[in-house]
Amino acid sequence: SLLYTIKFETHSVDLGDELLISTPPIITFCSQIDRLLGGGISPGEIIELVGEPGSGCTQLCMQIAVDCTLPQQFGGRGDKVLLVDCDGGICVKRLTQISQAALSHLQFLSESSKEPPVTNLSTGQIMSNIHTTRCTDFTQLSSVIYNLNVKCEYGAIIIDSIATNFRYDFGDMRQRTNVLAQISNELHALCIKNPVSVILVNQVRMDGKGEIQPCLGESWSHTADRRLLLRRCQEDTYSATMMKGAKSGESANFRISSSGIRDCVHS
């Protein structure tokens, strides 16, 4: 990648070695987050972003979606993305804005380096590789994930937010637990069979001690390989702290600009 050089850490997944090695990680356009992730978001892994409303989870999801479609030499996968919108927070106008900024940045990098020029790539092409679907209840979500296991043509699956359809729709907690377990199993099966990255957004709650905890309970916490807690620090400055996985307890700072997710100017 021309953006910055980061040592990529591989993760234990069940994909064939050749397929895993040939599939690059997805970078986020923030070097601090990518270093925290060991080089980016790996193929065959599930990452969960946890945070309150306004913590940057949806913005990071949209940035990842755009980045996945970019050519590999610029930190992408040149792949399609599926954005599963459960909250109604995915904004096409914002995705287009992030796409335009990413393309402008790649053109600048290409002109100032020996890399091949960015040709045959437009904002429209980036957007055409980002597919969105709206899921307003858990049955729709379950159906989408099941169908992906039948046929997956995506490099990344992003679900924002996994908790939305499970916080209030269930009177029977046993049924909720069973449905979540099924979804967890389907997502793991998806990652075993395909070189795909799964990014989930989870909401938060306050526990008895007044501390922020992810929703959906203890059993669900085993679904993700890595879990990041996102917080808003200042007007446009945010932090991501590793809650689960290697580098647990370490943090990265980032900002959200009109261009998308970027490094903090004075980090």
Side-chain angles (χ1 to χ4, degrees):
S1 170
L2 294 174
L3 297 175
Y4 33 77
T5 302
I6 298 174
K7 182 179 179 182
F8 174 51
E9 300 173 358
T10 57
H11 299 272
S12 297
V13 293
D14 293 328
L15 290 164
D17 289 341
E18 184 176 340
L19 183 59
L20 178 61
I21 292 171
S22 65
T23 305
I26 307 169
I27 65 168
T28 65
F29 270 41
C30 174
S31 62
Q32 284 201 31
I33 294 178
D34 292 331
R35 288 190 178 96
L36 184 63
L37 293 173
I41 301 173
S42 311
E45 78 164 329
I46 301 173
I47 284 187
E48 189 173 65
L49 308 177
V50 179
E52 298 177 294
S55 62
C57 291
T58 298
Q59 294 293 319
L60 182 53
C61 284
M62 289 191 284
Q63 182 71 61
I64 293 167
V66 169
D67 295 350
C68 184
T69 70
L70 301 179
Q72 291 189 12
Q73 70 264 34
F74 294 107
R77 275 192 197 153
D79 232 333
K80 295 178 182 177
V81 179
L82 179 63
L83 263 170
V84 183
D85 185 5
C86 300
D87 281 346
I90 300 300
C91 175
V92 173
K93 183 178 179 180
R94 177 61 171 152
L95 272 171
T96 303
Q97 186 181 36
I98 294 172
S99 299
Q100 291 170 339
L103 186 58
S104 296
H105 190 54
L106 297 196
Q107 289 171 338
F108 168 78
L109 290 173
S110 180
E111 292 169 1
S112 59
S113 72
K114 296 181 180 180
E115 289 286 333
V118 180
T119 57
N120 300 322
L121 184 64
S122 65
T123 301
Q125 288 173 312
I126 292 174
M127 292 295 293
S128 70
N129 284 321
I130 302 174
H131 302 172
T132 61
T133 185
R134 184 83 166 92
C135 290
T136 58
D137 59 50
F138 73 90
T139 56
Q140 292 177 350
L141 179 60
S142 297
S143 177
V144 167
I145 296 171
Y146 174 82
N147 288 331
L148 285 170
N149 264 296
V150 175
K151 181 181 179 181
C152 181
E153 58 179 357
Y154 301 103
I157 309 296
I158 302 172
I159 303 176
D160 183 11
S161 119
I162 192 70
T164 299
N165 298 322
F166 292 94
R167 294 196 69 181
Y168 309 109
D169 291 351
F170 285 87
D172 185 348
M173 294 303 291
R174 183 181 298 177
Q175 183 193 17
R176 189 186 89 150
T177 299
N178 290 338
V179 173
L180 283 170
Q182 181 180 0
I183 286 178
S184 179
N185 290 336
E186 292 279 0
L187 290 174
H188 280 286
L190 182 66
C191 290
I192 289 171
K193 295 187 294 185
N194 304 277
V196 62
S197 299
V198 174
I199 299 93
L200 309 173
V201 174
N202 195 355
Q203 300 167 4
V204 296
R205 60 178 178 80
M206 290 293 183
D207 64 14
K209 299 179 181 179
E211 297 179 354
I212 291 178
Q213 297 293 340
C215 292
L216 302 181
E218 178 66 23
S219 296
W220 176 258
S221 69
H222 302 292
T223 300
D225 300 298
R226 296 190 283 181
R227 179 178 259 178
L228 291 174
L229 174 64
L230 273 57
R231 299 175 188 262
R232 186 172 188 174
C233 303
Q234 298 175 10
E235 183 175 348
D236 64 347
T237 305
Y238 301 76
S239 70
T241 302
M242 187 71 72
M243 297 182 70
K244 176 187 177 183
K247 302 184 181 180
S248 180
E250 295 187 27
S251 297
N253 294 324
F254 65 99
R255 63 188 174 92
I256 299 176
S257 70
S258 59
S259 299
I261 303 296
R262 295 293 187 271
D263 284 308
C264 290
V265 178
H266 302 293
S267 59

